[in-house]
Amino acid sequence: QVQLVESGGGLVQAGGSLRLSCAASGSIFSTYAMGWYRQAPGKQRELVASIRNIGTTNYPDSVKGRFTISRDAAKSTVYLQMNSLKPDDTAVYYCNTWPVSLYEWGQGTQVTVSS
């Protein structure tokens, strides 16, 4: 059973940056596309970035130009670089396969952006 462990969240002021990491216990990145998702209080979980196993990335308009997803297959780790953070980015951030979440969700990492 693959486990996903997210880290790197924290409290940051608006305009700041954070880099999130997602470590997988198995070698899945060469097989599956991966996504970073977030869930804010009272809202549904949403996709904020995806990367295919060929390296193609996609972002919703809400984060395009501010977030960058990348991966290191050798380390079984996916990253999310978040710049120019806004209070609306406050949420718990998770990673999983994309477009279908094949694995159990991890605990996520909390990102809080203060205004």
Side-chain angles (χ1 to χ4, degrees), residues 27 49 114:
S27 300
S114 63

Side-chain angles (χ1 to χ4, degrees), residues 18-101:
L18 285 173
R19 188 193 194 206
L20 307 184
S21 299
C22 168
S25 60
S27 300
I28 62 174
F29 299 150
S30 60
T31 303
Y32 300 111
M34 295 296 298
W36 276 99
Y37 304 78
R38 70 184 179 190
Q39 187 167 21
K43 295 187 177 181
Q44 289 189 336
R45 188 172 286 153
E46 63 174 349
L47 178 74
V48 296
S50 63
I51 183 166
R52 297 180 184 272
N53 53 358
I54 59 173
T56 307
T57 58
N58 278 289
Y59 309 90
D61 288 343
S62 58
V63 306
K64 193 173 294 183
R66 301 189 298 120
F67 289 12
T68 303
I69 187 172
S70 61
R71 66 180 181 198
D72 185 333
K75 295 182 179 180
S76 295
T77 302
V78 176
Y79 304 98
L80 185 68
Q81 178 67 44
M82 306 186 297
N83 299 327
S84 303
L85 283 162
K86 305 175 181 179
D88 283 350
D89 296 319
T90 295
V92 180
Y93 285 71
Y94 305 86
C95 69
N96 213 315
T97 54
W98 175 83
V100 177
S101 305

